[in-house]
Amino acid sequence: MSKNFYSVEELKDWELLTLFNDKIKLNNIGQTPKKWYYDASGYTHLNQYTELELKNRNGVIKENYIEFTKKNKDTYTATTVYIEPQHYSRMVDDYRFDGVVPLYVNFFADGSIIVWNLATLKKKPEWKWVTHIWDEGKKIYKDEWRILLDINEAFIYDSKYNLVKKPE
């Protein structure tokens, strides 16, 4: 297992969020403790507390889908992105019971960004048993449950942080 992998990845996510925050302008953003169920928090311009789960992905956003590259260099396309169930459930609970805004922020290899507000999804996300998920930190393949989020329910920003698509 790569001891520093997760720390390095969280640092990359934090740096990307800091750059993106020049556009979205959250106030008082900060990182959460390691192994917390979201990565950062802050306040919106309306002073709403916000939790952010951050993910750095190897995909490239096309017009209405994402093109991913597997470890073996094969590519595949998708119109959904996974979120781990424990992150989704805890963040949605925080919204339901405490009014916290739950944002799932995905940074892509081409510099684009997809952001879901988990509180405003119009369709119930699909749960899926996913086999053969590569865990780079542990250097193993895993089989686990994931929740699929439709990119049509997200905000999409280009590499210059221009909003190019709003949720349908």
Side-chain angles (χ1 to χ4, degrees):
M1 179 159 101
S2 173
K3 292 180 181 178
N4 294 334
F5 174 78
Y6 298 108
S7 295
V8 169
E9 288 302 304
E10 286 186 6
L11 182 59
K12 286 181 196 174
D13 292 344
W14 175 251
E15 290 170 353
L16 290 168
L17 176 61
T18 302
L19 294 170
F20 184 48
N21 196 50
D22 288 343
K23 174 69 174 186
I24 61 174
K25 307 224 182 286
L26 291 174
N27 298 310
N28 300 321
I29 62 168
Q31 290 179 282
T32 56
K34 290 192 184 333
K35 299 192 179 194
W36 200 244
Y37 60 97
Y38 58 91
D39 298 312
S41 62
Y43 291 87
T44 69
H45 67 284
L46 300 173
N47 206 34
Q48 294 173 292
Y49 187 69
T50 304
E51 298 171 343
L52 300 100
E53 172 61 11
L54 309 174
K55 187 74 172 173
N56 199 346
R57 298 194 179 271
N58 68 354
V60 175
I61 299 176
K62 302 294 186 177
E63 186 160 332
N64 57 357
Y65 63 91
I66 304 164
E67 184 177 274
F68 289 99
T69 303
K70 292 183 181 181
K71 198 92 174 124
N72 66 4
K73 305 294 185 217
D74 287 345
T75 60
Y76 67 98
T77 61
T79 58
T80 58
V81 169
Y82 297 139
I83 184 172
E84 294 174 56
Q86 68 273 19
H87 295 293
Y88 176 84
S89 297
R90 296 217 33 204
M91 291 174 72
V92 170
D93 280 352
D94 287 351
Y95 167 72
R96 288 181 55 226
F97 296 106
D98 301 321
V100 175
V101 178
L103 298 180
Y104 186 45
V105 181
N106 286 245
F107 302 102
F108 287 84
D110 62 354
S112 56
I113 301 165
I114 299 182
V115 179
W116 283 268
N117 180 337
L118 302 178
T120 62
L121 299 179
K122 294 190 177 22
K123 296 185 292 185
K124 182 178 180 181
E126 176 187 348
W127 285 63
K128 183 176 181 182
W129 181 252
V130 182
T131 59
H132 227 61
I133 300 170
W134 178 251
D135 184 322
E136 185 65 34
K138 295 178 181 171
K139 304 289 187 202
I140 60 169
Y141 284 100
K142 305 185 297 188
D143 299 339
E144 295 184 341
W145 284 102
R146 290 292 189 259
I147 294 175
L148 303 177
L149 299 175
D150 189 326
I151 64 172
N152 291 314
E153 293 205 63
F155 294 90
I156 300 177
Y157 296 83
D158 66 19
S159 61
K160 294 185 172 125
Y161 309 140
N162 297 308
L163 180 62
V164 294
K165 184 180 171 301
K166 290 184 178 181
E168 294 177 354

